[in-house]
mmCIF file of all heavy atoms in Angstrom:
data_model
loop_
_atom_site.group_PDB
_atom_site.id
_atom_site.type_symbol
_atom_site.label_atom_id
_atom_site.label_comp_id
_atom_site.label_asym_id
_atom_site.label_seq_id
_atom_site.Cartn_x
_atom_site.Cartn_y
_atom_site.Cartn_z
ATOM 1 N N LEU A 21 0.797 -1.186 0.003
ATOM 2 C CA LEU A 21 -0.018 -0.014 -0.020
ATOM 3 C C LEU A 21 0.860 1.268 0.013
ATOM 4 O O LEU A 21 0.625 2.158 -0.820
ATOM 5 C CB LEU A 21 -0.917 -0.003 1.245
ATOM 6 C CG LEU A 21 -1.813 1.150 1.366
ATOM 7 C CD1 LEU A 21 -2.790 1.284 0.141
ATOM 8 C CD2 LEU A 21 -2.645 1.102 2.726
ATOM 9 N N THR A 22 1.799 1.360 0.932
ATOM 10 C CA THR A 22 2.584 2.629 1.133
ATOM 11 C C THR A 22 3.494 2.930 -0.113
ATOM 12 O O THR A 22 3.817 4.058 -0.280
ATOM 13 C CB THR A 22 3.354 2.577 2.408
ATOM 14 O OG1 THR A 22 4.218 1.382 2.352
ATOM 15 C CG2 THR A 22 2.508 2.469 3.574
ATOM 16 N N GLN A 23 3.862 1.904 -0.859
ATOM 17 C CA GLN A 23 4.711 2.155 -2.077
ATOM 18 C C GLN A 23 4.069 3.103 -3.086
ATOM 19 O O GLN A 23 4.741 3.771 -3.925
ATOM 20 C CB GLN A 23 5.114 0.840 -2.716
ATOM 21 C CG GLN A 23 4.035 0.137 -3.358
ATOM 22 C CD GLN A 23 4.451 -1.146 -4.048
ATOM 23 O OE1 GLN A 23 5.634 -1.457 -4.239
ATOM 24 N NE2 GLN A 23 3.502 -2.010 -4.426
ATOM 25 N N TRP A 24 2.746 3.204 -3.040
ATOM 26 C CA TRP A 24 1.972 4.042 -3.925
ATOM 27 C C TRP A 24 2.018 5.495 -3.472
ATOM 28 O O TRP A 24 1.781 6.420 -4.303
ATOM 29 C CB TRP A 24 0.600 3.603 -4.078
ATOM 30 C CG TRP A 24 0.510 2.204 -4.775
ATOM 31 C CD1 TRP A 24 0.329 1.033 -4.250
ATOM 32 C CD2 TRP A 24 0.681 1.999 -6.149
ATOM 33 N NE1 TRP A 24 0.341 0.053 -5.158
ATOM 34 C CE2 TRP A 24 0.606 0.622 -6.377
ATOM 35 C CE3 TRP A 24 0.985 2.779 -7.261
ATOM 36 C CZ2 TRP A 24 0.713 0.020 -7.609
ATOM 37 C CZ3 TRP A 24 1.041 2.257 -8.482
ATOM 38 C CH2 TRP A 24 0.985 0.827 -8.727
ATOM 39 N N PHE A 25 2.309 5.746 -2.237
ATOM 40 C CA PHE A 25 2.339 7.131 -1.713
ATOM 41 C C PHE A 25 3.753 7.640 -1.527
ATOM 42 O O PHE A 25 3.967 8.865 -1.675
ATOM 43 C CB PHE A 25 1.665 7.147 -0.320
ATOM 44 C CG PHE A 25 0.143 6.722 -0.409
ATOM 45 C CD1 PHE A 25 -0.200 5.438 -0.140
ATOM 46 C CD2 PHE A 25 -0.768 7.664 -0.816
ATOM 47 C CE1 PHE A 25 -1.556 5.055 -0.121
ATOM 48 C CE2 PHE A 25 -2.127 7.240 -0.927
ATOM 49 C CZ PHE A 25 -2.474 5.926 -0.637
ATOM 50 N N TRP A 26 4.702 6.776 -1.255
ATOM 51 C CA TRP A 26 6.071 7.186 -1.211
ATOM 52 C C TRP A 26 7.004 6.122 -1.931
ATOM 53 O O TRP A 26 6.575 5.002 -2.116
ATOM 54 C CB TRP A 26 6.575 7.132 0.325
ATOM 55 C CG TRP A 26 5.682 8.086 1.211
ATOM 56 C CD1 TRP A 26 5.795 9.414 1.277
ATOM 57 C CD2 TRP A 26 4.633 7.739 2.077
ATOM 58 N NE1 TRP A 26 4.886 9.987 2.115
ATOM 59 C CE2 TRP A 26 4.145 8.942 2.665
ATOM 60 C CE3 TRP A 26 4.023 6.540 2.401
ATOM 61 C CZ2 TRP A 26 3.093 8.946 3.603
ATOM 62 C CZ3 TRP A 26 3.001 6.531 3.354
ATOM 63 C CH2 TRP A 26 2.549 7.684 3.890
ATOM 64 N N ASN A 27 8.117 6.573 -2.272
ATOM 65 C CA ASN A 27 9.027 5.671 -3.022
ATOM 66 C C ASN A 27 9.836 4.895 -2.022
ATOM 67 O O ASN A 27 10.997 5.076 -1.797
ATOM 68 C CB ASN A 27 9.940 6.511 -3.912
ATOM 69 C CG ASN A 27 9.215 7.223 -4.978
ATOM 70 O OD1 ASN A 27 8.291 6.727 -5.519
ATOM 71 N ND2 ASN A 27 9.673 8.457 -5.301
ATOM 72 N N ILE A 28 9.134 3.866 -1.505
ATOM 73 C CA ILE A 28 9.788 2.953 -0.461
ATOM 74 C C ILE A 28 9.537 1.533 -0.900
ATOM 75 O O ILE A 28 8.816 1.237 -1.819
ATOM 76 C CB ILE A 28 9.186 3.174 0.887
ATOM 77 C CG1 ILE A 28 7.718 2.818 0.988
ATOM 78 C CG2 ILE A 28 9.488 4.584 1.353
ATOM 79 C CD1 ILE A 28 7.119 2.890 2.398
ATOM 80 N N GLY A 29 10.236 0.603 -0.276
ATOM 81 C CA GLY A 29 10.146 -0.806 -0.520
ATOM 82 C C GLY A 29 11.199 -1.281 -1.496
ATOM 83 O O GLY A 29 11.852 -0.385 -2.162
ATOM 84 N N PRO A 30 11.376 -2.583 -1.648
ATOM 85 C CA PRO A 30 12.526 -3.064 -2.448
ATOM 86 C C PRO A 30 12.463 -2.671 -3.924
ATOM 87 O O PRO A 30 13.469 -2.509 -4.553
ATOM 88 C CB PRO A 30 12.423 -4.600 -2.262
ATOM 89 C CG PRO A 30 11.036 -4.825 -1.800
ATOM 90 C CD PRO A 30 10.612 -3.660 -1.024
ATOM 91 N N LYS A 31 11.255 -2.503 -4.445
ATOM 92 C CA LYS A 31 11.128 -2.246 -5.898
ATOM 93 C C LYS A 31 11.495 -0.824 -6.177
ATOM 94 O O LYS A 31 11.797 -0.446 -7.344
ATOM 95 C CB LYS A 31 9.709 -2.508 -6.355
ATOM 96 C CG LYS A 31 9.320 -3.985 -6.232
ATOM 97 C CD LYS A 31 7.896 -4.268 -6.688
ATOM 98 C CE LYS A 31 7.510 -5.735 -6.505
ATOM 99 N NZ LYS A 31 7.314 -6.077 -5.174
ATOM 100 N N SER A 32 11.491 0.099 -5.178
ATOM 101 C CA SER A 32 11.784 1.515 -5.380
ATOM 102 C C SER A 32 13.257 1.725 -5.897
ATOM 103 O O SER A 32 13.461 2.766 -6.534
ATOM 104 C CB SER A 32 11.548 2.314 -4.156
ATOM 105 O OG SER A 32 12.459 1.971 -3.158
ATOM 106 N N LYS A 33 14.106 0.791 -5.610
ATOM 107 C CA LYS A 33 15.475 0.915 -6.083
ATOM 108 C C LYS A 33 15.603 1.030 -7.570
ATOM 109 O O LYS A 33 16.520 1.630 -8.130
ATOM 110 C CB LYS A 33 16.310 -0.266 -5.474
ATOM 111 C CG LYS A 33 16.516 -0.180 -4.046
ATOM 112 C CD LYS A 33 17.397 -1.262 -3.505
ATOM 113 C CE LYS A 33 17.579 -1.186 -2.007
ATOM 114 N NZ LYS A 33 18.441 -2.213 -1.469
ATOM 115 N N LEU A 34 14.598 0.379 -8.283
ATOM 116 C CA LEU A 34 14.599 0.475 -9.738
ATOM 117 C C LEU A 34 14.347 1.964 -10.207
ATOM 118 O O LEU A 34 14.966 2.497 -11.063
ATOM 119 C CB LEU A 34 13.576 -0.392 -10.356
ATOM 120 C CG LEU A 34 14.018 -1.871 -10.617
ATOM 121 C CD1 LEU A 34 14.172 -2.590 -9.402
ATOM 122 C CD2 LEU A 34 12.958 -2.539 -11.538
ATOM 123 N N TYR A 35 13.413 2.649 -9.427
ATOM 124 C CA TYR A 35 13.132 4.061 -9.734
ATOM 125 C C TYR A 35 14.380 4.898 -9.520
ATOM 126 O O TYR A 35 14.793 5.740 -10.360
ATOM 127 C CB TYR A 35 11.990 4.534 -8.827
ATOM 128 C CG TYR A 35 11.774 6.041 -8.926
ATOM 129 C CD1 TYR A 35 11.159 6.656 -9.960
ATOM 130 C CD2 TYR A 35 12.251 6.838 -7.858
ATOM 131 C CE1 TYR A 35 10.945 7.999 -10.082
ATOM 132 C CE2 TYR A 35 12.066 8.241 -7.892
ATOM 133 C CZ TYR A 35 11.452 8.755 -9.033
ATOM 134 O OH TYR A 35 11.254 10.185 -9.074
ATOM 135 N N TYR A 36 15.056 4.756 -8.366
ATOM 136 C CA TYR A 36 16.199 5.600 -8.105
ATOM 137 C C TYR A 36 17.353 5.301 -9.148
ATOM 138 O O TYR A 36 18.005 6.305 -9.432
ATOM 139 C CB TYR A 36 16.663 5.345 -6.634
ATOM 140 C CG TYR A 36 15.662 5.951 -5.631
ATOM 141 C CD1 TYR A 36 15.007 5.080 -4.745
ATOM 142 C CD2 TYR A 36 15.370 7.227 -5.580
ATOM 143 C CE1 TYR A 36 14.099 5.551 -3.772
ATOM 144 C CE2 TYR A 36 14.441 7.776 -4.646
ATOM 145 C CZ TYR A 36 13.836 6.928 -3.741
ATOM 146 O OH TYR A 36 12.987 7.418 -2.817
ATOM 147 N N ALA A 37 17.563 4.103 -9.475
ATOM 148 C CA ALA A 37 18.550 3.752 -10.451
ATOM 149 C C ALA A 37 18.221 4.387 -11.801
ATOM 150 O O ALA A 37 19.154 4.923 -12.501
ATOM 151 C CB ALA A 37 18.727 2.256 -10.568
ATOM 152 N N ALA A 38 16.972 4.350 -12.226
ATOM 153 C CA ALA A 38 16.564 4.911 -13.492
ATOM 154 C C ALA A 38 16.734 6.434 -13.405
ATOM 155 O O ALA A 38 17.176 7.059 -14.435
ATOM 156 C CB ALA A 38 15.162 4.562 -13.748
ATOM 157 N N ARG A 39 16.354 7.043 -12.346
ATOM 158 C CA ARG A 39 16.445 8.463 -12.227
ATOM 159 C C ARG A 39 17.908 8.955 -12.313
ATOM 160 O O ARG A 39 18.202 9.908 -12.970
ATOM 161 C CB ARG A 39 15.811 8.954 -10.861
ATOM 162 C CG ARG A 39 15.661 10.458 -10.742
ATOM 163 C CD ARG A 39 15.064 10.828 -9.466
ATOM 164 N NE ARG A 39 15.868 10.528 -8.265
ATOM 165 C CZ ARG A 39 15.591 10.847 -7.028
ATOM 166 N NH1 ARG A 39 14.435 11.433 -6.756
ATOM 167 N NH2 ARG A 39 16.350 10.556 -6.068
ATOM 168 N N GLU A 40 18.772 8.224 -11.626
ATOM 169 C CA GLU A 40 20.189 8.478 -11.646
ATOM 170 C C GLU A 40 20.739 8.458 -13.049
ATOM 171 O O GLU A 40 21.567 9.252 -13.444
ATOM 172 C CB GLU A 40 20.956 7.606 -10.700
ATOM 173 C CG GLU A 40 22.447 7.915 -10.573
ATOM 174 C CD GLU A 40 22.722 9.280 -9.991
ATOM 175 O OE1 GLU A 40 21.823 9.785 -9.228
ATOM 176 O OE2 GLU A 40 23.784 9.768 -10.226
ATOM 177 N N TYR A 41 20.282 7.418 -13.777
ATOM 178 C CA TYR A 41 20.828 7.217 -15.153
ATOM 179 C C TYR A 41 20.330 8.383 -16.055
ATOM 180 O O TYR A 41 21.038 8.897 -16.876
ATOM 181 C CB TYR A 41 20.293 5.846 -15.738
ATOM 182 C CG TYR A 41 20.757 5.630 -17.113
ATOM 183 C CD1 TYR A 41 21.986 5.089 -17.392
ATOM 184 C CD2 TYR A 41 19.971 6.010 -18.264
ATOM 185 C CE1 TYR A 41 22.428 4.789 -18.684
ATOM 186 C CE2 TYR A 41 20.363 5.806 -19.482
ATOM 187 C CZ TYR A 41 21.604 5.209 -19.737
ATOM 188 O OH TYR A 41 22.100 5.022 -21.057
ATOM 189 N N LEU A 42 19.052 8.770 -15.893
ATOM 190 C CA LEU A 42 18.491 9.786 -16.762
ATOM 191 C C LEU A 42 19.071 11.146 -16.506
ATOM 192 O O LEU A 42 18.998 12.071 -17.291
ATOM 193 C CB LEU A 42 17.011 9.824 -16.639
ATOM 194 C CG LEU A 42 16.250 8.539 -17.172
ATOM 195 C CD1 LEU A 42 14.781 8.599 -16.899
ATOM 196 C CD2 LEU A 42 16.431 8.476 -18.729
ATOM 197 N N ARG A 43 19.607 11.335 -15.252
ATOM 198 C CA ARG A 43 20.196 12.621 -14.945
ATOM 199 C C ARG A 43 21.475 12.835 -15.764
ATOM 200 O O ARG A 43 21.900 13.999 -15.953
ATOM 201 C CB ARG A 43 20.525 12.727 -13.439
ATOM 202 C CG ARG A 43 19.296 13.062 -12.594
ATOM 203 C CD ARG A 43 19.629 12.984 -11.164
ATOM 204 N NE ARG A 43 18.487 13.423 -10.295
ATOM 205 C CZ ARG A 43 18.294 13.309 -8.985
ATOM 206 N NH1 ARG A 43 19.322 12.710 -8.353
ATOM 207 N NH2 ARG A 43 17.336 13.746 -8.400
ATOM 208 N N GLN A 44 22.042 11.744 -16.216
ATOM 209 C CA GLN A 44 23.346 11.811 -16.890
ATOM 210 C C GLN A 44 23.284 11.348 -18.306
ATOM 211 O O GLN A 44 24.280 11.606 -19.099
ATOM 212 C CB GLN A 44 24.373 10.986 -16.123
ATOM 213 C CG GLN A 44 24.600 11.315 -14.651
ATOM 214 C CD GLN A 44 25.523 10.404 -13.990
ATOM 215 O OE1 GLN A 44 26.597 10.094 -14.494
ATOM 216 N NE2 GLN A 44 25.104 9.950 -12.797
ATOM 217 N N ASN A 45 22.187 10.809 -18.785
ATOM 218 C CA ASN A 45 22.081 10.266 -20.090
ATOM 219 C C ASN A 45 20.692 10.538 -20.678
ATOM 220 O O ASN A 45 19.678 10.642 -19.974
ATOM 221 C CB ASN A 45 22.292 8.742 -20.115
ATOM 222 C CG ASN A 45 23.629 8.251 -19.474
ATOM 223 O OD1 ASN A 45 24.573 8.165 -20.151
ATOM 224 N ND2 ASN A 45 23.555 8.011 -18.196
ATOM 225 N N LYS A 46 20.596 10.650 -21.971
ATOM 226 C CA LYS A 46 19.356 10.958 -22.672
ATOM 227 C C LYS A 46 18.846 9.670 -23.292
ATOM 228 O O LYS A 46 19.660 8.893 -23.855
ATOM 229 C CB LYS A 46 19.606 12.015 -23.768
ATOM 230 C CG LYS A 46 19.925 13.392 -23.270
ATOM 231 C CD LYS A 46 19.990 14.384 -24.432
ATOM 232 C CE LYS A 46 20.266 15.831 -23.873
ATOM 233 N NZ LYS A 46 20.277 16.796 -24.979
ATOM 234 N N VAL A 47 17.496 9.498 -23.241
ATOM 235 C CA VAL A 47 16.909 8.451 -23.955
ATOM 236 C C VAL A 47 15.654 9.003 -24.641
ATOM 237 O O VAL A 47 15.215 10.108 -24.324
ATOM 238 C CB VAL A 47 16.481 7.296 -22.997
ATOM 239 C CG1 VAL A 47 17.596 6.706 -22.198
ATOM 240 C CG2 VAL A 47 15.320 7.698 -22.056
ATOM 241 N N ASP A 48 15.148 8.267 -25.608
ATOM 242 C CA ASP A 48 14.045 8.659 -26.388
ATOM 243 C C ASP A 48 12.681 8.255 -25.824
ATOM 244 O O ASP A 48 11.646 8.871 -26.085
ATOM 245 C CB ASP A 48 14.130 8.246 -27.888
ATOM 246 C CG ASP A 48 15.464 8.734 -28.521
ATOM 247 O OD1 ASP A 48 15.500 9.909 -28.832
ATOM 248 O OD2 ASP A 48 16.454 8.009 -28.558
ATOM 249 N N THR A 49 12.666 7.110 -25.200
ATOM 250 C CA THR A 49 11.426 6.478 -24.705
ATOM 251 C C THR A 49 11.681 5.732 -23.435
ATOM 252 O O THR A 49 12.775 5.171 -23.258
ATOM 253 C CB THR A 49 10.828 5.538 -25.755
ATOM 254 O OG1 THR A 49 10.811 6.154 -27.040
ATOM 255 C CG2 THR A 49 9.410 5.167 -25.367
ATOM 256 N N ILE A 50 10.646 5.616 -22.644
ATOM 257 C CA ILE A 50 10.742 4.752 -21.451
ATOM 258 C C ILE A 50 9.685 3.699 -21.590
ATOM 259 O O ILE A 50 8.515 4.033 -21.981
ATOM 260 C CB ILE A 50 10.475 5.589 -20.116
ATOM 261 C CG1 ILE A 50 11.587 6.591 -19.903
ATOM 262 C CG2 ILE A 50 10.406 4.661 -18.890
ATOM 263 C CD1 ILE A 50 11.255 7.612 -18.860
ATOM 264 N N ILE A 51 9.944 2.491 -21.249
ATOM 265 C CA ILE A 51 8.945 1.412 -21.241
ATOM 266 C C ILE A 51 8.906 0.786 -19.872
ATOM 267 O O ILE A 51 10.027 0.438 -19.308
ATOM 268 C CB ILE A 51 9.221 0.300 -22.307
ATOM 269 C CG1 ILE A 51 9.237 0.885 -23.682
ATOM 270 C CG2 ILE A 51 8.205 -0.818 -22.143
ATOM 271 C CD1 ILE A 51 9.547 -0.155 -24.734
ATOM 272 N N ALA A 52 7.742 0.595 -19.267
ATOM 273 C CA ALA A 52 7.600 -0.188 -18.030
ATOM 274 C C ALA A 52 6.725 -1.411 -18.383
ATOM 275 O O ALA A 52 5.651 -1.262 -19.013
ATOM 276 C CB ALA A 52 6.972 0.655 -16.972
ATOM 277 N N THR A 53 7.258 -2.600 -18.041
ATOM 278 C CA THR A 53 6.403 -3.766 -18.273
ATOM 279 C C THR A 53 5.952 -4.310 -16.920
ATOM 280 O O THR A 53 6.676 -4.511 -15.950
ATOM 281 C CB THR A 53 7.255 -4.873 -19.062
ATOM 282 O OG1 THR A 53 6.462 -6.047 -19.282
ATOM 283 C CG2 THR A 53 8.546 -5.216 -18.380
ATOM 284 N N GLY A 54 4.644 -4.593 -16.866
ATOM 285 C CA GLY A 54 4.079 -5.073 -15.633
ATOM 286 C C GLY A 54 3.212 -6.262 -15.784
ATOM 287 O O GLY A 54 2.801 -6.584 -16.927
ATOM 288 N N ASP A 55 3.115 -7.123 -14.769
ATOM 289 C CA ASP A 55 3.382 -6.562 -13.393
ATOM 290 C C ASP A 55 4.836 -6.794 -12.948
ATOM 291 O O ASP A 55 5.503 -7.542 -13.656
ATOM 292 C CB ASP A 55 2.420 -7.163 -12.351
ATOM 293 C CG ASP A 55 2.388 -8.680 -12.318
ATOM 294 O OD1 ASP A 55 2.717 -9.380 -13.304
ATOM 295 O OD2 ASP A 55 2.170 -9.187 -11.194
ATOM 296 N N PRO A 56 5.292 -6.266 -11.779
ATOM 297 C CA PRO A 56 4.534 -5.440 -10.855
ATOM 298 C C PRO A 56 4.178 -4.032 -11.454
ATOM 299 O O PRO A 56 5.023 -3.451 -12.058
ATOM 300 C CB PRO A 56 5.463 -5.327 -9.627
ATOM 301 C CG PRO A 56 6.821 -5.459 -10.238
ATOM 302 C CD PRO A 56 6.713 -6.406 -11.326
ATOM 303 N N PHE A 57 2.922 -3.621 -11.127
ATOM 304 C CA PHE A 57 2.441 -2.390 -11.734
ATOM 305 C C PHE A 57 3.002 -1.185 -11.085
ATOM 306 O O PHE A 57 2.725 0.023 -11.608
ATOM 307 C CB PHE A 57 0.937 -2.435 -11.808
ATOM 308 C CG PHE A 57 0.390 -3.513 -12.734
ATOM 309 C CD1 PHE A 57 -0.215 -4.678 -12.155
ATOM 310 C CD2 PHE A 57 0.547 -3.421 -14.085
ATOM 311 C CE1 PHE A 57 -0.614 -5.682 -13.029
ATOM 312 C CE2 PHE A 57 0.056 -4.356 -14.910
ATOM 313 C CZ PHE A 57 -0.505 -5.498 -14.387
ATOM 314 N N ILE A 58 3.667 -1.304 -9.972
ATOM 315 C CA ILE A 58 4.341 -0.110 -9.351
ATOM 316 C C ILE A 58 5.336 0.461 -10.398
ATOM 317 O O ILE A 58 5.646 1.656 -10.286
ATOM 318 C CB ILE A 58 5.043 -0.553 -8.074
ATOM 319 C CG1 ILE A 58 5.536 0.710 -7.270
ATOM 320 C CG2 ILE A 58 6.194 -1.440 -8.284
ATOM 321 C CD1 ILE A 58 4.400 1.627 -6.834
ATOM 322 N N LEU A 59 5.796 -0.321 -11.279
ATOM 323 C CA LEU A 59 6.688 0.170 -12.295
ATOM 324 C C LEU A 59 6.098 1.240 -13.189
ATOM 325 O O LEU A 59 6.723 2.139 -13.756
ATOM 326 C CB LEU A 59 7.277 -0.964 -13.169
ATOM 327 C CG LEU A 59 8.056 -2.062 -12.493
ATOM 328 C CD1 LEU A 59 8.577 -3.074 -13.482
ATOM 329 C CD2 LEU A 59 9.179 -1.494 -11.627
ATOM 330 N N PHE A 60 4.755 1.169 -13.356
ATOM 331 C CA PHE A 60 4.039 2.118 -14.119
ATOM 332 C C PHE A 60 4.063 3.515 -13.400
ATOM 333 O O PHE A 60 4.203 4.576 -14.048
ATOM 334 C CB PHE A 60 2.531 1.731 -14.339
ATOM 335 C CG PHE A 60 2.370 0.656 -15.341
ATOM 336 C CD1 PHE A 60 3.440 -0.015 -15.891
ATOM 337 C CD2 PHE A 60 1.069 0.162 -15.702
ATOM 338 C CE1 PHE A 60 3.264 -1.065 -16.839
ATOM 339 C CE2 PHE A 60 0.866 -0.821 -16.572
ATOM 340 C CZ PHE A 60 1.951 -1.418 -17.157
ATOM 341 N N LYS A 61 3.977 3.476 -12.109
ATOM 342 C CA LYS A 61 4.150 4.750 -11.345
ATOM 343 C C LYS A 61 5.505 5.305 -11.575
ATOM 344 O O LYS A 61 5.640 6.503 -11.803
ATOM 345 C CB LYS A 61 3.933 4.429 -9.816
ATOM 346 C CG LYS A 61 4.314 5.605 -8.975
ATOM 347 C CD LYS A 61 4.367 5.269 -7.459
ATOM 348 C CE LYS A 61 4.965 6.378 -6.614
ATOM 349 N NZ LYS A 61 5.160 5.994 -5.260
ATOM 350 N N TYR A 62 6.547 4.487 -11.440
ATOM 351 C CA TYR A 62 7.884 4.946 -11.626
ATOM 352 C C TYR A 62 8.104 5.587 -13.017
ATOM 353 O O TYR A 62 8.723 6.615 -13.209
ATOM 354 C CB TYR A 62 8.901 3.855 -11.386
ATOM 355 C CG TYR A 62 8.842 3.332 -9.982
ATOM 356 C CD1 TYR A 62 9.270 1.998 -9.744
ATOM 357 C CD2 TYR A 62 8.327 4.013 -8.914
ATOM 358 C CE1 TYR A 62 9.241 1.425 -8.512
ATOM 359 C CE2 TYR A 62 8.308 3.449 -7.624
ATOM 360 C CZ TYR A 62 8.745 2.164 -7.425
ATOM 361 O OH TYR A 62 8.646 1.628 -6.207
ATOM 362 N N ALA A 63 7.581 4.933 -14.014
ATOM 363 C CA ALA A 63 7.728 5.361 -15.414
ATOM 364 C C ALA A 63 6.992 6.636 -15.624
ATOM 365 O O ALA A 63 7.464 7.602 -16.327
ATOM 366 C CB ALA A 63 7.257 4.262 -16.425
ATOM 367 N N SER A 64 5.804 6.772 -15.039
ATOM 368 C CA SER A 64 5.005 8.036 -15.148
ATOM 369 C C SER A 64 5.751 9.151 -14.508
ATOM 370 O O SER A 64 5.784 10.284 -15.095
ATOM 371 C CB SER A 64 3.650 7.784 -14.445
ATOM 372 O OG SER A 64 2.881 8.961 -14.515
ATOM 373 N N LYS A 65 6.300 8.977 -13.328
ATOM 374 C CA LYS A 65 7.028 10.017 -12.645
ATOM 375 C C LYS A 65 8.347 10.402 -13.411
ATOM 376 O O LYS A 65 8.645 11.614 -13.525
ATOM 377 C CB LYS A 65 7.440 9.565 -11.222
ATOM 378 C CG LYS A 65 6.253 9.494 -10.308
ATOM 379 C CD LYS A 65 6.695 8.871 -8.942
ATOM 380 C CE LYS A 65 7.634 9.692 -8.169
ATOM 381 N NZ LYS A 65 7.052 10.960 -7.666
ATOM 382 N N LEU A 66 9.055 9.412 -13.944
ATOM 383 C CA LEU A 66 10.245 9.685 -14.727
ATOM 384 C C LEU A 66 9.963 10.454 -16.023
ATOM 385 O O LEU A 66 10.617 11.379 -16.503
ATOM 386 C CB LEU A 66 10.995 8.417 -15.030
ATOM 387 C CG LEU A 66 11.644 7.657 -13.852
ATOM 388 C CD1 LEU A 66 12.040 6.261 -14.221
ATOM 389 C CD2 LEU A 66 12.818 8.446 -13.265
ATOM 390 N N SER A 67 8.766 10.035 -16.646
ATOM 391 C CA SER A 67 8.374 10.734 -17.855
ATOM 392 C C SER A 67 8.103 12.201 -17.594
ATOM 393 O O SER A 67 8.521 13.094 -18.355
ATOM 394 C CB SER A 67 7.090 10.091 -18.400
ATOM 395 O OG SER A 67 6.563 10.738 -19.478
#
């Protein structure tokens, strides 16, 4: 439940790693494949 309100839990590390990569590199598109559907939240925020 709480992972939808804050970026916590073991899956959140994917979000932080992606954010760190995008700060230093350009990409044309982001794809999130689910489930887990929390990845859709991360892709939406990164987008």
Side-chain angles (χ1 to χ4, degrees):
L21 180 61
T22 56
Q23 67 180 346
W24 293 102
F25 300 98
W26 301 282
N27 296 323
I28 63 173
K31 298 180 182 69
S32 65
K33 292 184 179 180
L34 274 69
Y35 169 75
Y36 291 117
R39 190 179 67 178
E40 184 65 24
Y41 181 86
L42 292 174
R43 282 174 173 167
Q44 303 176 46
N45 302 273
K46 292 184 178 181
V47 303
D48 300 282
T49 312
I50 299 169
I51 299 178
T53 179
D55 59 330
F57 295 107
I58 190 65
L59 299 186
F60 288 4
K61 170 192 169 182
Y62 300 155
S64 178
K65 289 173 66 68
L66 292 168
S67 172

